[in-house]
Amino acid sequence: MNQSIEAPIEDQARPVSAKERILTLDVLRGFALFGIMFVNVYAFVHPAQWFTVNWDEIGAAESAFEVFKMAFTQGKFYSLFAFLFGLGFSVQLASAERKGAPVSFVFRFFWRLMILYGIAAVHFIFIWGGDILNSYAAGGMILLLTYVLKRAIEFAVQKVAKRPQFKIPRGMMLVSAFLLMCVPLLGWGGYIYQQESLIARYEAKEQLTDQEQKRVERILEFRKPEAQQKRREHQREINDTFTLGSYADVVDYRLGILQERFWETKGFWYTVCGLFLIGAFFGRYNFIGRAAEFRSGFVKLGIASFIVGAVFNIGFIYTVLARPENAGQVWNWANFSLKTFAGISWALMFVAVISLAMLGNAKNYLKVFAPVGQMALTNYLTQSLIGATVFYGYGLGLVGKLNAFEQFGYMVVLFAAQVKFSQWWLSRYRFGPMEWLWRSLTYLRLQPMKIEPPATASATLA
């Protein structure tokens, strides 16, 4: 999760030096982690409902705050993190290509993603069921595949067509990103359209095939009030598991849904990979590291992203607030699609605004996010561990007991503690604990952890 801007990949791995890091990227990671906590804390308080707010049970002030959270956080910060992941991939790849070792990079990065997938599985089963790391690992595999395909196409054209200078334009990364994000959504939309058309034909008493008849019966069975009541009862059972169950009960529940959460969300992987590709495009040109040079471009990007994201946000919020009680799949598709593109747009807005702000005096305030961002994987997992301990029944048992404002207070206190801890830790060690473990497993040897004090004058003379 914490993809650092690294030096050229060498046989002897070494940590990223202070000079090689771009402070803005660590600030963006820390800021994204703050926003992710903003979203995830609701899922801790309401483990069976996730992001479904019971609007009838809260007051006007809390409702307004929940709408604010939807507009500014949902879909925005996992998008920002995915963007930064792709950017880190691009920078590491560029280093490997300059060294003439892209093949070894592919195998090393594949192994790195496999380790991340293992961390994701442990996180999901034993700590928290809201894991996003597995989608990053899977999306990273697709990203790696796109690079391998790119190299294969270039090699074929260069050798077969005798065009030794041929390279696929880097702008194709943006085209590929658009296709990866839009085609699955269009496919899902087309499936829903066929489903609704089939039901319309059934209600119009048209002749259906046996297969079509069985499909309609399954759809209508799912929509019956009895089925909806059964789903509500299942939600209450889930809530009781987290409120009253032991740690073993919670782990057993997560094991039961492991395949569903790790595989049946595969459509989401393409969205994540699309965000990776956008980040990779930025990384290829080092746009963030050259923000002063591209100042006017960042201003235009920030304004355009804000306007486009605001339009999508309005639609997203509408699909939440105006959703009928028995809404079908069309509402789900519209809600997810609008949230996705609102998130992408405003993630780019955050990139532009923070990159510009880091050029001025605001840097003195924003850099507080940097230590948290430098230890993003450690801090992300720590947020999950503390959240599960505070809210679930085997801990302090605060499920369902904090309103939106109290959740915000909890989040601010925890994040402030992570800022202080990260500052303290990084003053003594090169990496966060999980970053060190991930890197050590990647290179299959323990990495140097402690920061060695500078040599004294006498030691130097000796």
Side-chain angles (χ1 to χ4, degrees), residues 352-383:
V353 170
I354 290 177
S355 295
L356 291 171
M358 289 292 289
L359 300 177
N361 292 332
K363 175 180 179 180
N364 297 324
Y365 302 97
L366 290 172
K367 66 183 182 182
V368 71
F369 290 103
V372 179
Q374 197 171 337
M375 293 173 49
L377 180 59
T378 295
N379 283 312
Y380 172 71
L381 296 175
T382 302
Q383 287 175 9

Side-chain angles (χ1 to χ4, degrees), residues 85-143:
F85 190 107
L87 192 151
F89 169 87
S90 178
V91 173
Q92 292 178 57
L93 174 58
S95 296
E97 288 179 337
R98 286 194 299 269
K99 186 173 175 62
V103 175
S104 62
F105 168 81
V106 167
F107 285 103
R108 182 173 290 166
F109 201 82
F110 174 80
W111 173 237
R112 183 175 175 84
L113 291 172
M114 291 299 294
I115 296 167
L116 182 63
Y117 204 79
I119 293 172
V122 172
H123 177 228
F124 178 88
I125 296 170
F126 297 105
I127 302 177
W128 186 49
D131 175 79
I132 191 69
L133 300 177
N134 72 91
S135 293
Y136 285 3
M141 295 292 185
I142 300 172
L143 177 65

Side-chain angles (χ1 to χ4, degrees), residues 22-98:
I22 298 177
L23 181 63
T24 302
L25 296 181
D26 286 329
V27 169
L28 284 166
R29 290 188 190 95
F31 178 69
L33 200 63
F34 180 75
I36 285 173
M37 195 196 308
F38 213 131
V39 176
N40 287 350
V41 65
Y42 185 90
F44 278 111
V45 179
H46 304 281
Q49 295 173 290
W50 287 83
F51 307 121
T52 304
V53 178
N54 292 324
W55 300 101
D56 296 334
E57 298 179 6
I58 59 179
E62 192 173 352
S63 295
F65 190 66
E66 291 291 354
V67 171
F68 170 84
K69 284 169 58 180
M70 279 194 296
F72 285 92
T73 64
Q74 283 195 30
K76 282 71 176 178
F77 291 103
Y78 82 74
S79 297
L80 179 55
F81 245 124
F83 171 93
L84 295 168
F85 190 107
L87 192 151
F89 169 87
S90 178
V91 173
Q92 292 178 57
L93 174 58
S95 296
E97 288 179 337
R98 286 194 299 269

Side-chain angles (χ1 to χ4, degrees), residues 285-316:
Y285 291 100
N286 190 24
F287 283 132
I288 292 177
R290 301 159 63 194
E293 180 182 346
F294 294 102
R295 187 187 296 267
S296 62
F298 272 88
V299 171
K300 293 174 183 177
L301 175 64
I303 294 172
S305 298
F306 172 77
I307 294 172
V308 172
V311 172
F312 282 118
N313 253 325
I314 291 170
F316 164 55

